[in-house]
Amino acid sequence: MAYWLMKSEPDVFGIDDLERVRVEPWEGVRNYQARNMMRDEMQEGDLAFFYHSNCKVPGVVGIMRIARSGYPDEAAWDPEHKYYDPKSPADNPRWYRVDVAFEQKFERVIPLADLKQAPELADMPLVRRGNRLSIMPVSEAEWDFILSMLEEA
C-alpha cells in the first residue's frame, strides 16, 4: 500500500462533501506530474490524506481510500464541462483521475503551520517552499507522524 496527500478547496469539494457522497471521481487534475501519479502509481486500496487548501486554515482534515485506480478523465472530452480539453481525445487521453472513498474525518484540522514546524516532515513535498502540486506521495513514516499529531491535541 502507498500513501498520498490530495488537495482540494473546501468550497469546491471538501471532506464533508466526500463524507456525504461516500465515493467520488477525483477529476480536473491538469498537472502532468500529478496526472502521472494518478495514472501510474495510485492503486486501489492506497490511503490518502484529504487536505483543504486555499482556505482560512489549510491543513489535513481526514483520510480517504483510493477506490479505483487511474482511468481517463472523461470530463476532458465534454465541451460543456469546466475541465474540457480539446487536446485530450478519447482515443488518446491526456488526463486521468482516480475514484476516492471516504474513510475518516478528523475531529480537528492538522494545520499546515503545524506540519511545517515538525522536523520529522522536513522532506515532505507539502512543506517545501514553492510546492504547488495537488497530489503528492507521503512516506509511511510521514503518514504515521501526521496521525500521531492528532493525539497531541
Side-chain angles (χ1 to χ4, degrees):
M1 177 183 348
Y3 299 100
W4 305 93
L5 182 142
M6 301 170 75
K7 297 179 183 178
S8 182
E9 297 176 14
D11 60 338
V12 175
F13 186 81
I15 189 76
D16 293 331
D17 298 307
L18 184 58
E19 184 175 20
R20 183 176 34 78
V21 299
R22 307 306 293 177
V23 177
E24 181 77 5
W26 199 266
E27 66 183 11
V29 174
R30 297 298 182 260
N31 171 284
Y32 287 106
Q33 191 175 355
R35 182 266 333 249
N36 292 348
M37 286 184 255
M38 288 196 304
R39 184 189 65 194
D40 303 332
E41 298 177 44
M42 287 184 160
Q43 298 298 317
E44 189 174 323
D46 287 356
L47 293 176
F49 284 126
F50 198 125
Y51 181 94
H52 282 174
S53 63
N54 290 338
C55 55
K56 188 174 182 178
V57 181
V60 178
V61 295
I63 296 174
M64 53 193 172
R65 177 180 38 82
I66 306 304
R68 181 178 176 190
S69 299
Y71 63 101
D73 186 346
E74 298 162 11
W77 309 330
D78 179 359
E80 303 299 316
H81 201 284
K82 65 181 175 180
Y83 297 124
Y84 174 62
D85 181 352
K87 296 180 180 176
S88 180
D91 62 350
N92 187 21
R94 175 179 288 187
W95 305 113
Y96 281 71
R97 63 186 180 195
V98 296
D99 289 353
V100 296
F102 177 83
E103 287 289 319
Q104 177 183 359
K105 178 181 175 180
F106 296 157
E107 294 200 13
R108 70 174 187 91
V109 175
I110 303 173
L112 176 59
D114 292 0
L115 299 170
K116 285 183 171 184
Q117 291 178 8
E120 296 86 348
L121 302 177
D123 293 329
M124 189 177 187
L126 178 68
V127 302
R128 284 194 229 132
R129 183 176 218 100
N131 188 307
R132 305 282 300 156
L133 280 181
S134 62
I135 295 172
M136 59 195 69
V138 176
S139 73
E140 186 172 0
E142 292 164 342
W143 182 270
D144 291 342
F145 182 79
I146 291 170
L147 288 178
S148 78
M149 295 176 79
L150 287 169
E151 299 162 9
E152 294 173 9

